[in-house]
Amino acid sequence: MKTRYWILLFLAVLLLCAAAAWHIENTKPSEALAGVYQNGRLVRTVDLSAVTEPYDIVLTEAGSCDVRVEPGKIYILSSTCPDQLCVKHGPLGGGLPVACLPNKVVIRWLSETDKGYDAMTDAVN
Amino acid sequence: MRAKKITTAALLTAVALIIFIVEAQLPPLLPVPGIKLGLSNVVTLFALFAVGPSMAFLVLIARIVLGGLLTGQVVSMTYSLAGGLLSFVVCACIYRFFPRNQVFVVSVISAVLHNVGQIAVAALMTSAGIFAYLPLLTVSGIITGLFTGLCAQFVLTRQGRSGAPGAKRPGK
């Protein structure tokens, strides 16, 4: 394949993915229900619209992550990870989750389908 | 011949490790997990095209494991290992079909696959929701892969004329 075609192909994929990324970040859920995951498990579900007083969720399973919950807002306040990307990410905005990969923590919006699944895991736990 | 091979592997690993550790000291480009320049991939690509897949594999594994231990980021090492292995397997299969003026194509494919492997393991270890980062990481993979690929390509085209290690396979 000619070099020119490869460049065009990469450019096309780049533009498509940029559009997809933009779309994901700008898609907000209808409800302010956030899920906090660690080590692949949903450890906490928070309805941000029901929060009145700020509080912290401290996750210590792999490294330590301090998750701050405020009315309508959830973010990682501090973390023991080396790059601090999760702290710099700021509050959970659109579809891109707040992630602290070294500490295996992910905070993301939960959808309707997640809720059914949560009810199930809650019953098991 | 064996001594020469060991020396070449050691030299390439040392270069890759230095690049890896220097890059780890730089502040991240964007506050997005998984986005980095991946400059040490220049060495892996060079090893693949100039010497061959077995050498590239040795250098890659040695760099990821030693780099992970030296920077103390063992969890991040797991992500790199998954990404590195996936991209290596594919690149080792396809690199023969690309002439030396298309090294950057292999590099872009490699960088994107590296991100795919990384994110797949991250999804297993955290939550499937992390896949939302895939398009963004693909964008970054194409850009950084292009950059590192062109670096490797320039080194390879000069090395072809110089008689440096691996220069025995010219004309590709």
Side-chain angles (χ1 to χ4, degrees):
Chain A
M1 203 149 104
K2 278 189 180 167
T3 305
R4 171 157 37 115
Y5 296 136
W6 280 111
I7 294 173
L8 283 176
L9 175 72
F10 290 149
L11 203 64
V13 176
L14 185 113
L15 289 176
L16 263 176
C17 287
W22 187 84
H23 175 76
I24 288 171
E25 182 54 13
N26 286 288
T27 310
K28 298 205 176 189
S30 46
E31 288 173 272
L33 194 66
V36 181
Y37 291 78
Q38 187 172 36
N39 273 334
R41 282 187 309 118
L42 182 67
V43 288
R44 200 74 172 258
T45 312
V46 185
D47 184 358
L48 293 181
S49 56
V51 177
T52 47
E53 286 291 301
Y55 64 93
D56 286 4
I57 303 168
V58 182
L59 302 164
T60 51
E61 243 175 79
S64 178
C65 245
D66 191 349
V67 180
R68 170 64 59 88
V69 182
E70 284 174 14
K73 212 164 149 189
I74 184 163
Y75 57 95
I76 296 182
L77 186 67
S78 68
S79 163
T80 54
C81 62
D83 53 18
Q84 300 289 309
L85 289 179
C86 50
V87 179
K88 286 180 198 140
H89 185 286
L92 181 59
L96 292 180
V98 180
C100 183
L101 293 186
N103 288 349
K104 303 181 203 167
V105 172
V106 168
I107 306 170
R108 68 181 185 98
W109 297 118
L110 296 177
S111 60
E112 286 297 320
T113 46
D114 289 318
K115 272 205 282 185
Y117 177 69
D118 294 342
M120 201 172 75
T121 49
D122 281 346
V124 173
N125 292 335
Chain B
M1 195 58 215
R2 195 167 156 71
K4 192 181 171 191
K5 215 173 170 186
I6 293 172
T7 315
T8 312
L11 199 68
L12 289 173
T13 307
V15 174
L17 256 181
I18 291 168
I19 296 175
F20 180 81
I21 288 167
V22 169
E23 197 190 340
Q25 308 309 313
L26 301 174
L29 301 168
L30 284 170
V32 176
I35 290 190
K36 64 180 278 193
L37 203 43
L39 271 177
S40 50
N41 198 37
V42 173
V43 181
T44 316
L45 281 166
F46 175 85
L48 184 65
F49 277 87
V51 193
S54 56
M55 176 68 74
F57 183 74
L58 286 176
V59 172
L60 175 77
I61 299 299
R63 187 259 297 167
I64 293 174
V65 173
L66 292 175
L69 294 177
L70 286 174
T71 52
Q73 299 185 27
V74 183
V75 179
S76 304
M77 188 178 88
T78 332
Y79 303 129
S80 307
L81 211 53
L85 283 177
L86 179 67
S87 77
F88 175 80
V89 168
V90 175
C91 288
C93 295
I94 63 168
Y95 84 101
R96 289 161 217 279
F97 306 112
F98 292 89
R100 289 209 172 172
N101 64 345
Q102 286 190 348
V103 174
F104 77 91
V105 176
V106 180
S107 176
V108 169
I109 295 170
S110 159
V112 171
L113 286 175
H114 189 280
N115 285 343
V116 170
Q118 229 175 1
I119 213 165
V121 169
L124 281 178
M125 289 168 88
T126 55
S127 143
I130 201 82
F131 271 114
Y133 276 109
L134 193 56
L136 191 58
L137 287 183
T138 305
V139 171
S140 101
I142 291 174
I143 296 167
T144 60
L146 191 65
F147 181 76
T148 56
L150 287 174
C151 289
Q153 195 169 313
F154 293 147
V155 175
L156 280 161
T157 44
R158 273 156 187 69
Q159 170 260 358
R161 295 181 232 130
S162 71
K168 61 184 188 298
R169 295 177 55 205
K172 277 210 96 178

